Amino acid sequence: MQTSFKSIRLSEKDHHFREFSVWPVFAEFNSEEWMANFLPEEWDVAERLLANFAYFNERMTDSLLEASVNNFFTTIGQDSGNADILYNDLLPKTAFVICEGEKPNPTDSGHIFARKLRDRLGVPETQIFRPGDALSKMEIFHRFVFVDDFTGSGNQFIETWNGNHIFNGTSYSFNDFAQRADRSFAYCCCIAAKAAETAILKNAPTVRLFPAHQLEDRHNVTHPESSVWAGFDAEAARRTIQIASARAGYAAEDHSEDDWRGFHALGLALAFNHGIPDACLPIFFSQRNGWKPLIERS
């Protein structure tokens, strides 16, 4: 591969990011093998993708979660008419709920975030629940805060919100309690796509969202107005990604998990230390057809 000035700068970024633990070690994040997937005429696009890939290490993820939860407590303190109300005054009547879809998995990020709530934010384990357990505490807590790392389509939260759980012989969902004036619901997450906010507001209008960071269309690598392609031919870059994605085993264009643009065509370029969302471009994590992933999915 002929070395360009851009390649040298990218290599320097790679070195310094690893040195300061912004990017993980090569065993977990192999930019060299990933770049080798691409044809020479695709290198410029691949380098631009790598240069704009956002990786959130554990410290960053913890800080985002803390910012989201603090924003929630600050806001409800102001809503109560007392902006100086203490965090500890509000916490005892707040239940935290880990999000899980229709098929809960032990590796779901919600379980990781349950530990973060306990260890980073000092939330007692007796106030951290799975959805079914949280519903059984509806008469004890005033506020229910759902937590997660990322929401792209909003589907997982909506499944959690509408999921039915049986206790005392009766089936309930959080939606059944949505209109109770003496109970409030919030969703705290590190990063949320605009599409998720729209879907959640439509399906669960009583839930207030407190993302630490919100993604717009310009964060979608395949969007015509993506900020990634400043100075580039965005449409040509899009075609290059589509062609490379087909080699990586992702050729669908149906918003499914096989869509070359990522789940729901969100086209993201980001990962957390505990995993990469399925809303990201599959060429970052694919292992199909011998493709070498930039970062493996957990």
Side-chain angles (χ1 to χ4, degrees):
M1 180 186 298
Q2 183 179 358
T3 303
S4 66
F5 179 61
K6 284 189 296 184
S7 297
I8 293 173
R9 287 189 301 178
L10 189 59
S11 178
E12 289 177 348
K13 173 182 176 179
D14 187 305
H15 172 74
H16 289 300
F17 273 26
R18 294 185 197 280
E19 183 178 6
F20 293 103
S21 299
V22 177
W23 282 0
V25 296
F26 279 101
E28 300 172 0
F29 193 91
N30 197 331
S31 55
E32 292 183 359
E33 285 195 357
W34 183 76
M35 283 294 299
N37 291 310
F38 296 91
L39 304 175
E41 60 269 26
E42 298 170 339
W43 288 342
D44 281 350
V45 170
E47 287 179 344
R48 181 62 72 94
L49 284 174
L50 185 57
N52 283 273
F53 190 86
Y55 177 82
F56 297 92
N57 63 28
E58 186 169 12
R59 294 194 306 274
M60 294 174 180
T61 305
D62 288 349
S63 295
L64 288 171
L65 176 63
E66 186 173 3
S68 177
V69 173
N70 284 343
N71 185 23
F72 162 73
F73 278 114
T74 299
T75 301
I76 64 173
Q78 292 171 340
D79 289 348
S80 71
N82 183 1
D84 296 324
I85 193 166
L86 296 176
Y87 177 96
N88 289 337
D89 291 337
L90 297 167
L91 181 60
K93 288 297 183 179
T94 302
F96 291 83
V97 188
I98 59 173
C99 287
E100 55 185 31
E102 292 180 345
K103 299 178 180 179
N105 190 307
T107 62
D108 286 345
S109 59
H111 299 278
I112 296 172
F113 273 61
R115 292 193 295 272
K116 291 182 181 298
L117 286 169
R118 180 194 65 194
D119 299 338
R120 175 82 180 190
L121 296 175
V123 177
E125 289 187 355
T126 53
Q127 291 175 230
I128 304 172
F129 305 99
R130 297 179 67 176
D133 295 328
L135 278 167
S136 70
K137 307 295 183 182
M138 192 60 64
E139 300 306 318
I140 299 174
F141 295 97
H142 296 170
R143 291 169 292 274
F144 291 79
V145 179
F146 300 85
V147 294
D148 211 345
D149 56 353
F150 171 79
T151 179
S153 65
N155 284 0
Q156 181 164 300
F157 173 80
I158 293 168
E159 289 172 1
T160 300
W161 179 253
N162 291 320
N164 287 303
H165 300 270
I166 297 176
F167 59 94
N168 294 332
T170 306
S171 178
Y172 294 97
S173 72
F174 286 99
N175 189 54
D176 293 326
F177 297 93
Q179 302 306 320
R180 283 189 57 164
D182 60 343
R183 296 294 178 266
S184 64
F185 304 91
Y187 184 26
C188 290
C189 59
C190 295
I191 299 175
K194 189 174 182 179
E197 180 180 8
T198 300
I200 292 170
L201 290 176
K202 177 181 178 181
N203 290 277
T206 58
V207 176
R208 300 177 68 177
L209 278 69
F210 296 90
H213 183 64
Q214 186 179 67
L215 300 178
E216 305 291 342
D217 289 339
R218 61 187 176 86
H219 294 105
N220 184 333
V221 170
T222 65
H223 193 275
E225 298 178 4
S226 172
S227 57
V228 171
W229 307 115
F232 265 58
D233 182 336
E235 182 55 36
R238 188 178 187 276
R239 288 195 299 270
T240 296
I241 296 171
Q242 186 174 13
I243 292 169
S245 297
R247 297 201 307 274
Y250 289 82
E253 200 165 88
D254 56 3
H255 288 217
S256 72
E257 292 185 3
D258 285 322
D259 196 306
W260 66 273
R261 302 163 298 179
F263 189 52
H264 274 257
L266 291 175
L268 301 182
L270 63 86
F272 298 93
N273 68 297
H274 55 271
I276 181 169
D278 55 15
C280 291
L281 294 179
I283 56 171
F284 288 124
F285 57 78
S286 177
Q287 292 180 282
R288 299 177 181 177
N289 303 334
W291 188 268
K292 301 298 183 182
L294 177 64
I295 186 166
E296 293 186 13
R297 298 194 70 190
S298 60

